[in-house]
Amino acid sequence: DIQMTQSPSSLSASVGDRVTITCRASQGISNYLAWFQQKPGKAPKSLIYAASSLQSGVPSKFSGSGSGTDFTLTISSLQPEDFATYFCQQYNSDTVTFGQGTKLEIK
Amino acid sequence: EVQLVESGGGLVQPGGSLRLSCAASGFTFSDHYMDWVRQAPGKGLEWVGRIRNEASHYTTQYAASVKGRFTISRDESKNSVYLQMKSLKTEDTAVYYCARVTRYTYDYWGQGTLVTVSS
C-alpha cells in the first residue's frame, strides 16, 4: 500500500495567520490527492481533490498544490472555524490511504 | 441536497456480526461508487472498502484488515449501500462513515455510526 505521511502532526497558529501542511506519498501518485477537514465529533468535510481543485462551496482561502510525491495544503487568513484536523488522502491506487492527520490549534 | 445517513451501529461482542446501512438521497445513486471509511476513537481515518456501480459490474474492494470478514453490497431500488461485518474484533471498534465517490475521491460523507466491539 502507498503510505501517506503528513507534517507536522500538530500546529499552533493565530487568527489571521497563513499555514501550510505537507503530505508526502511513499511513491508517485500523480495528482490523485485529496484533502479533508474534520472537526471534533463531526464527519470529515471534503476540501480539495486532484491536488489543487476546490470542492464546490469551499472558500478560496484553501489551496492545494503538488504532484508526484509531495503536496501541500495552504490555509490563508485563519479564522476560528478553521481550527480542526486535516487529512490528506491518496487515491492513485485501488486501495485508498490517508495521512495520519494534522491538528491545527489556536495559539 | 445530497444526504448520506448511516444506521445500524451499536454494541456487539467479539466474534459477532453487525450490518450497517447507508441511505442516500439527493443524487443519482446509480452513477456513483460508494465507500466505507472508519475511524477508531481518537485515531485517523481508515479506508474499509468500495463498491462500484452497475457500469463497473458492482465490483468490490476491501482493505486487508477486513477482507474475508466484511462484505459491501448495494440496493439500487433503495438507494442504499450496506456493510455486513462478521467475526468482529475489538480493533473494529470505530465510527463508520459512508462516502460518495466522485472523481475517484469523496465529495460527501455521512454523519457516521458508532460500532463498539466489546464483551
Side-chain angles (χ1 to χ4, degrees):
Chain A
D1 288 358
I2 299 173
Q3 306 304 315
M4 305 300 293
T5 303
Q6 285 183 237
S7 60
S9 296
S10 63
L11 176 60
S12 293
S14 300
V15 172
D17 283 355
R18 172 187 168 108
V19 298
T20 296
I21 299 168
T22 297
C23 184
R24 174 165 289 176
S26 60
Q27 63 189 74
I29 59 170
S30 184
N31 69 335
Y32 294 107
L33 191 284
W35 290 97
F36 304 95
Q37 175 195 66
Q38 188 178 34
K39 297 180 180 179
K42 300 295 187 181
K45 175 185 175 182
S46 302
L47 298 177
I48 286 172
Y49 67 95
S52 60
S53 297
L54 287 180
Q55 290 282 2
S56 176
V58 174
S60 59
K61 63 188 303 180
F62 294 94
S63 62
S65 66
S67 184
T69 60
D70 294 314
F71 302 86
T72 60
L73 171 70
T74 299
I75 312 169
S76 62
S77 187
L78 282 171
Q79 297 301 304
E81 61 269 22
D82 300 328
F83 292 92
T85 299
Y86 292 85
F87 295 93
C88 63
Q89 176 212 44
Q90 70 78 21
Y91 53 99
N92 180 66
S93 69
D94 284 342
T95 53
V96 166
T97 49
F98 293 90
Q100 80 279 13
T102 295
K103 187 173 184 179
L104 177 56
E105 299 175 303
I106 298 178
K107 187 182 291 184
Chain B
E1 179 192 7
V2 172
Q3 284 197 316
L4 300 170
V5 180
E6 299 95 336
S7 60
L11 175 63
V12 60
Q13 292 188 337
S17 299
L18 205 58
R19 188 198 196 208
L20 306 183
S21 300
C22 170
S25 61
F27 64 100
T28 303
F29 182 68
S30 58
D31 284 349
H32 292 267
Y33 301 174
M34 297 294 295
D35 278 17
W36 287 95
V37 176
R38 68 183 180 183
Q39 187 170 36
K43 302 297 184 182
L45 300 170
E46 180 188 16
W47 176 75
V48 172
R50 170 169 294 176
I51 186 163
R52 297 178 178 84
N53 58 7
E54 182 180 11
S56 296
H57 310 293
Y58 300 123
T59 53
T60 55
Q61 215 141 6
Y62 300 94
S65 58
V66 306
K67 195 169 185 178
R69 300 188 298 123
F70 290 12
T71 302
I72 300 174
S73 60
R74 60 193 290 165
D75 185 337
E76 306 296 315
S77 68
K78 296 182 179 179
N79 284 355
S80 293
V81 60
Y82 306 99
L83 180 64
Q84 176 69 52
M85 304 183 292
K86 299 180 180 179
S87 303
L88 282 161
K89 307 174 182 180
T90 55
E91 53 263 41
D92 295 318
T93 294
V95 175
Y96 285 73
Y97 298 100
C98 64
R100 187 178 87 163
V101 179
T102 299
R103 290 179 288 262
Y104 301 106
T105 184
Y106 311 141
D107 54 357
Y108 288 94
W109 298 68
Q111 86 288 350
T113 188
L114 176 63
V115 173
T116 303
V117 184
S118 174
S119 55

